[in-house]
Amino acid sequence: MTVLMAGCGDLGTEAGLRFAAAGHRVVGWRRSAEKLPGEIEGVSADLTSANLPPASSDTSAVVIAVAAESSAEAAYRAAYVDGLANVLRALDRDDVRPRRVLFVSSTAVYGDADGGWVTEDTTPAPGGFSGRIILEAEELLHRHFEGTDTDTVVLRLGGIYGPGRTRLIDQVRSGSAATPAEARYTNRIHRDDAAAAIVHLCSMEGTPHPAYLGVDNHPAEMGEVLRFLAEELGLPHPPAAPREPEASAGQAGRGGNKRCSNQRLRDTGFEFSYPTYREGYRAILEGKGVRHP
């Protein structure tokens, strides 16, 4: 099939390479298309612009994987809502009717759950503008294709880590890491598993659910993760913080304190290469993988 990757940063490029390895034609839209590897047909495109390039008539799967340029509310709206709307208008303009459209979303749509479990059936309750805007984009996608033959899927990813995404490792190494004073669950997914999940959900037979949680098998307390990294690095455990820093007004509740279940994704037959943070961070520390420019 022909796959349009609308947004080809690190995650989109990794997914595109996996589509190509499976024998599919991959077209990648991004501002700096010259940075894309040869396996992806790079096309220069600014998703925040209404003047997007033509979409191939035989496009059967579209993946929209955007990222805000900054943590400002306007940047989130420009990327997630306006960017998505522009892609949808381009598909309509060119009379492209894909079999499936996948939007890369975030667990930020749930906000905080006081350490409780959330699933795809949990009512979203974002705690800041980031989650609210991303939820608005999800609703736009589903509404746009309602009553058509196009399947729409949102993949709500937890915190992505992987090659080049070493913030926690760097904090532990520098001694700036601090264990939260109160237990706080975090949910994450290795970049490679996130990319593999995108390919899996776009390629699988049957009608997909409208939403999947893209997190690994083990929601972990932040203190647990920091202590693990310290032990792997041969360093002392990070000290306890007096209190957790307050989040900014826009990002409040982005991570939240919740445990996300990936059961629905695993029920499709998807298998994780890095089922917990332990395998994933060990791979990073061993230098496996590269971050795409």
Side-chain angles (χ1 to χ4, degrees):
M1 61 183 176
T2 294
V3 181
L4 171 61
M5 301 294 304
C8 256
D10 178 44
L11 175 60
T13 299
E14 181 64 26
L17 288 171
R18 289 168 182 261
F19 276 119
H24 303 300
R25 177 193 175 204
V26 183
V27 178
W29 284 358
R30 67 176 281 177
R31 288 177 180 172
S32 50
E34 70 281 357
K35 293 182 179 179
L36 292 174
E39 296 92 331
I40 299 174
E41 297 177 27
V43 178
S44 296
D46 178 357
L47 299 186
T48 64
S49 167
N51 299 314
L52 290 176
S56 181
S57 60
D58 64 345
T59 300
S60 53
V62 178
V63 176
I64 302 164
V66 297
E69 290 190 339
S70 75
S71 59
E73 182 172 359
Y76 267 79
R77 180 160 296 280
Y80 288 97
V81 176
D82 298 342
L84 171 62
N86 289 334
V87 172
L88 297 179
R89 278 193 288 268
L91 296 177
D92 289 344
R93 177 199 65 200
D94 300 332
D95 198 27
V96 175
R97 306 188 184 281
R99 178 179 65 92
R100 190 163 297 166
V101 178
L102 184 146
F103 173 70
V104 177
S105 180
S106 167
T107 57
V109 301
Y110 294 109
D112 190 276
D114 196 26
W117 284 94
V118 301
T119 71
E120 294 83 356
D121 294 325
T122 301
T123 301
F129 68 71
S130 58
R132 288 195 297 270
I133 289 172
I134 294 171
L135 182 61
E136 181 182 341
E138 287 188 9
E139 293 167 347
L140 171 63
L141 174 69
H142 291 312
R143 187 168 61 249
H144 185 84
F145 288 104
E146 188 175 6
T148 73
D149 293 331
T150 298
D151 297 329
T152 54
V153 182
V154 297
L155 178 60
R156 294 168 175 164
L157 295 178
I160 303 173
Y161 71 105
R165 300 174 187 255
T166 58
R167 179 178 58 85
L168 287 185
I169 294 173
D170 295 340
Q171 289 177 356
V172 173
R173 276 187 169 139
S174 68
S176 63
T179 303
E182 296 181 358
R184 178 169 64 86
Y185 285 99
T186 59
N187 303 269
R188 52 181 51 79
I189 186 169
H190 192 284
R191 186 226 36 206
D192 291 358
D193 281 328
I198 290 171
V199 176
H200 175 77
L201 292 174
C202 285
S203 307
M204 70 181 191
E205 297 298 325
T207 302
H209 285 279
Y212 292 87
L213 277 164
V215 296
D216 67 20
N217 297 347
H218 181 56
E221 290 182 318
M222 179 59 76
E224 174 189 334
V225 179
L226 294 175
R227 288 189 293 272
F228 167 82
L229 289 174
E231 290 169 4
E232 290 293 305
L233 293 166
L235 297 171
H237 286 181
R243 64 181 181 86
E244 189 170 272
E246 293 182 4
S248 67
Q251 297 303 317
R254 177 171 174 80
N257 180 18
K258 56 182 174 283
R259 287 176 283 177
C260 296
S261 169
N262 66 7
Q263 189 61 54
R264 177 179 287 181
L265 179 59
R266 287 191 288 125
D267 284 346
T268 67
F270 182 76
E271 296 182 359
F272 285 80
S273 295
Y274 303 101
T276 78
Y277 69 86
R278 298 180 186 90
E279 295 87 355
Y281 276 118
R282 281 182 179 136
I284 297 171
L285 293 172
E286 292 169 3
K288 294 182 179 178
V290 296
R291 184 164 184 172
H292 304 293

